[in-house]
């Protein structure tokens, strides 16, 4: 019996077999037996019940103009990107838990760095894939009600969002698609090495993607979740788009490596990705808010600092952002590799 995909029906491609998406030349997520081995194998480092940010929640400017580029951390993979008069939110999650259940699952350990009511007008929302720590339908419904943004997401995720927010403006994209957003803003969907699921029966039935935001103030490479995959996708992004003024890269949720390495890069790999894609600066995310894996709450930052020092890269170029932290990205020449050798 042919597997039915409830989210997407489309032609077979180099990353879609007619029912499920996959990483070309890559590896699928591990199965139930390995999941149970991890969950019951011990090794989890305890997190504090509350991990408050040293930065107070901020109320952002309404817009950022000229050659300015500002990133404000909300928490986990939720970033407010302000550039060329445009306000972009990535993987917006304001819910207390990232789970299909309101009573169980990973819970927020620090307050959002921006209160939902303090957001400036949101123009575009990027949803990279459908895991609960990245696709939060309650938050998307609230954003639609208040801001009516254009939601851009990979194939199949539009079905999930539309069921919860039927009136939303949603654009579904495949890898290599290009969207002209007006005013010299171009959005590109690009590959990353990950997977998707909302439950136990829909694994890899919606696509995952990274995004390149092309602006007059420079190019931005946003990666929500990815395995390093030998740097293939980083080098491909550089070859296609050139160097980046900013890359938003995940560097947390990576232990144990035997289970996570194919789908979540660690800090050392994130630094290698920074070099491979020629990013002048990095906003580091996907750490410190939701306890998803085994490492301690501060271990990603500590490991990142060691990796940067070993690579000869100034720590100021790769910022491990905390909720409420504002990063005004320098307007240096994109792709500078000074100190990176």
């Amino acid at each position: 019996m042919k597997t039915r995909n409830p989210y997407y029906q489309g032609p077979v491609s180099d990353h879609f077999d007619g029912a499920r998406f996959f990483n070309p030349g890559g590896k699928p997520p591990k199965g139930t037996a390995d999941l149970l081995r991890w969950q019951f194998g011990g090794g989890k480092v305890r997190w504090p019940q509350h991990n408050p940010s040293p930065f107070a929640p901020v109320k952002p400017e309404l817009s950022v103009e000229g050659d300015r580029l500002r990133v404000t951390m909300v928490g986990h993979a939720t970033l407010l990107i302000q550039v060329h008069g445009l306000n972009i939110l990535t993987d917006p999650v304001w819910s207390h838990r990232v789970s299909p259940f309101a009573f169980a699952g990973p819970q927020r350990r620090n307050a959002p760095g921006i209160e939902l009511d303090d957001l400036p007008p949101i123009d575009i929302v990027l949803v990279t894939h459908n895991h609960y720590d990245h696709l939060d339908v309650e938050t998307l419904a609230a954003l639609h009600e208040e801001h009516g943004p254009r939601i851009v997401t990979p194939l199949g995720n539009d079905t999930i969002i539309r069921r919860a927010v039927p009136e939303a403006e949603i654009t579904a994209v495949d890898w290599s698609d290009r969207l002209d957003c007006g005013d010299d803003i171009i959005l590109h969907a690009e590959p990353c090495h990950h997977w998707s699921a909302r439950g136990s029966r829909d694994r890899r039935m919606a696509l995952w993607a990274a995004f390149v935001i092309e602006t007059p103030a420079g190019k931005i490479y946003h990666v929500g979740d990815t395995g390093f995959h030998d740097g293939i996708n980083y080098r491909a992004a550089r070859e296609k788009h050139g160097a980046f003024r900013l890359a938003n890269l995940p560097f947390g949720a990576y232990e144990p490596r035997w289970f996570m390495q194919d789908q979540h890069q660690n800090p050392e790999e994130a630094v290698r990705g920074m070099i491979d894609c020629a990013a002048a600066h990095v906003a580091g995310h996907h750490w410190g808010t939701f306890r998803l894996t085994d490492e301690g709450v501060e271990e990603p930052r500590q490991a990142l600092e060691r990796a940067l020092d070993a690579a000869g890269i100034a720590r100021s170029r790769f910022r491990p952002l905390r909720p409420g932290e504002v990063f005004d990205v320098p307007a240096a020449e994109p792709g500078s590799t000074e100190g990176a050798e």
Side-chain angles (χ1 to χ4, degrees), residues 53 58 60 71-80 89-94 108 110-116 119 289 321-325:
S53 172
V58 297
V71 179
T72 304
M73 170 57 86
V74 176
H76 194 57
T78 306
L79 302 169
L80 172 64
L89 272 179
T90 67
D91 291 344
V93 176
W94 265 261
R108 187 180 292 274
N110 38 48
I114 306 171
E115 295 292 341
L116 199 57
L119 283 171
T289 294
L321 296 182
R322 298 178 186 267
E325 187 170 358

Side-chain angles (χ1 to χ4, degrees), residues 8 30 52 75 90 106 118 159-160 164 230 239 268 275 282 286 303:
Y8 173 74
K30 298 196 183 301
T90 67
D118 287 337
T159 302
I160 299 166
D230 197 33
E239 182 176 345
E268 181 181 357
I275 296 168
V282 173
H286 210 269

